[in-house]
Amino acid sequence: MTQRSACFVALTGLLVMPAVAHAAPAQPWDWLLTPLSGASEHHIAGRMVWHARLMVLGWGTLLPLGALAARFFKIVPGQDWPQQLDHKAWWHAHRVLQYAGVLAMTAGLVLAWGLGNRHGIAAQVHAWLGWSLCLAGWIQVAGGLLRGGKGGPTDDQLRGDHYDMTRRRIGFERLHKSLGWLAIALAVMTIALGLIAADAPRWMAVVLALWWSAFVAVFVWLQRQGRCIDTYQAIWGPSAMHPGNRQPVVGWGVRRYTAAAWRARFGPP
Ligand code: HEM
Ligand code: HEM
């Protein structure tokens, strides 16, 4: 370091120090309780607080957990697949979590409607993305309800959209899986922008960042274990006599197994 730059550092240090000393939080948690902007006070309307809570409950918790259940728990740990087929735990979990999530989202939207002032880019992008996500949530429910019939050897009739993997079923799987995960990824951004628009306390951003990191870590771990199995196989087994097993799988990272390969990976030792 030259003499001039050393002088500059020392001088700026002296100038900044009193300000830092003045602003220094009395306790470590004061930093976490301070709003994101660093402002000393934080006001937010009661209705907006409930908007944020309900949206974090819906898009931040229930909907991502329901998608995780649908992706990785078509066969549950300990299930003797393919002797035991069509374990419905994922199906019940997915519907309960997704309906509850969309309900929380809709209530959250009603609370925010017309309350914002669109001041600043964060608020504008948040509102725009927020409306798109609400639309996506309702489309996902509509898609789920319109996915067609099931069919298969254990149903009343063999023919069915899912068993035959008709164009309707393939279209549903393509749209529902890609729109669902895209929406969840956008929800991370939308929630972050909501926190900025509301100038929320820092601890909320810290907790959410930790939560999303844990979610991604669990997703990657389950994916690498090979737990994302084709729904069709989970329901009817791996035999090539079933028409859907002769068609390509729908979606990224979805796997198919023979009975022996599954047992070698997940079966009892
Ligand atoms: C009536 C409501 C719903 C029904 C009946 C339903 C049904 C289904 C079905 C049958 C699957 C399995 C598709 C397959 O693997 O072949 C699935 C997967 C999925 N659902 Fe839903 N769903 C509903 C609501 C939602 C909502 C609101 C979301 C919002 C995010 C969502 C996100 C997903 C995602 C991301 C997957 C793919 C998981 C993977 O990667 O395998 N679903 N859903
Ligand atoms: C993915 C979750 C969320 C969605 C889908 C969402 C959706 C929306 C929508 C659609 C609006 C505009 C309402 C209108 O047109 O009047 C809005 C406004 C707002 N939201 Fe959210 N929201 C979410 C999460 C949050 C969170 C976590 C916070 C705060 C911590 C928040 C704070 C706000 C604020 C402050 C406004 C008003 C913005 C303005 O001034 O215009 N939101 N939200």
Side-chain angles (χ1 to χ4, degrees):
M1 199 186 283
T2 64
Q3 209 180 351
R4 265 179 70 193
S5 53
C7 245
F8 177 76
V9 171
L11 262 174
T12 40
L14 277 176
L15 285 172
V16 166
M17 235 167 59
V20 171
H22 179 69
Q27 303 291 343
W29 54 83
D30 283 351
W31 184 87
L32 289 168
L33 294 174
T34 306
L36 288 167
S37 69
S40 52
E41 283 187 52
H42 174 241
H43 295 293
I44 177 167
R47 256 174 74 185
M48 213 40 125
V49 172
W50 280 100
H51 162 73
R53 285 179 184 153
L54 285 167
M55 288 304 191
V56 170
L57 177 70
W59 276 111
T61 319
L62 302 173
L63 294 169
L65 286 178
L68 207 73
R71 187 171 179 86
F72 297 112
F73 294 93
K74 302 258 176 51
I75 301 178
V76 294
Q79 182 185 334
D80 184 18
W81 186 86
Q83 299 311 312
Q84 279 174 281
L85 293 170
D86 201 6
H87 197 296
K88 291 202 166 58
W90 78 271
W91 173 236
H92 297 311
H94 188 64
R95 273 182 318 161
V96 168
L97 290 166
Q98 305 322 80
Y99 272 130
V102 169
L103 212 66
M105 170 198 92
T106 308
L109 177 67
V110 170
L111 289 172
W113 208 322
L115 214 62
N117 48 25
R118 304 283 199 278
H119 271 328
I121 189 83
Q124 280 165 29
V125 179
H126 172 79
W128 190 84
L129 274 176
W131 274 105
S132 315
L133 278 185
C134 292
L135 202 65
W138 295 322
I139 291 176
Q140 287 295 91
V141 172
L145 294 174
L146 296 172
R147 71 192 180 287
K150 185 175 177 186
T154 48
D155 215 12
D156 298 337
Q157 49 181 10
L158 191 64
R159 307 300 305 272
D161 287 291
H162 197 181
Y163 189 67
D164 294 339
M165 284 306 271
T166 58
R167 283 174 59 184
R168 178 177 179 168
R169 176 72 199 194
I170 294 170
F172 158 72
E173 286 196 20
R174 283 206 184 118
L175 177 76
H176 194 79
K177 289 182 190 181
S178 40
L179 183 62
W181 285 116
L182 175 71
I184 289 166
L186 288 178
V188 182
M189 241 164 86
T190 311
I191 291 173
L193 287 168
L195 293 178
I196 296 171
D199 201 15
R202 287 170 180 149
W203 68 263
M204 290 188 188
V206 171
V207 169
L208 282 163
L210 290 172
W211 157 247
W212 285 119
S213 308
F215 184 83
V216 171
V218 169
F219 184 103
V220 171
W221 178 62
L222 291 168
Q223 184 69 38
R224 291 178 75 171
Q225 273 200 338
R227 284 215 164 265
C228 176
I229 182 175
D230 185 17
T231 317
Y232 196 94
Q233 276 207 325
I235 296 179
W236 292 295
S239 164
M241 71 177 234
H242 303 303
N245 283 334
R246 301 194 292 269
Q247 290 187 31
V249 286
V250 179
W252 166 85
V254 182
R255 298 191 53 165
R256 278 189 180 146
Y257 289 91
T258 59
W262 178 267
R263 279 211 193 92
R265 200 174 251 259
F266 299 107

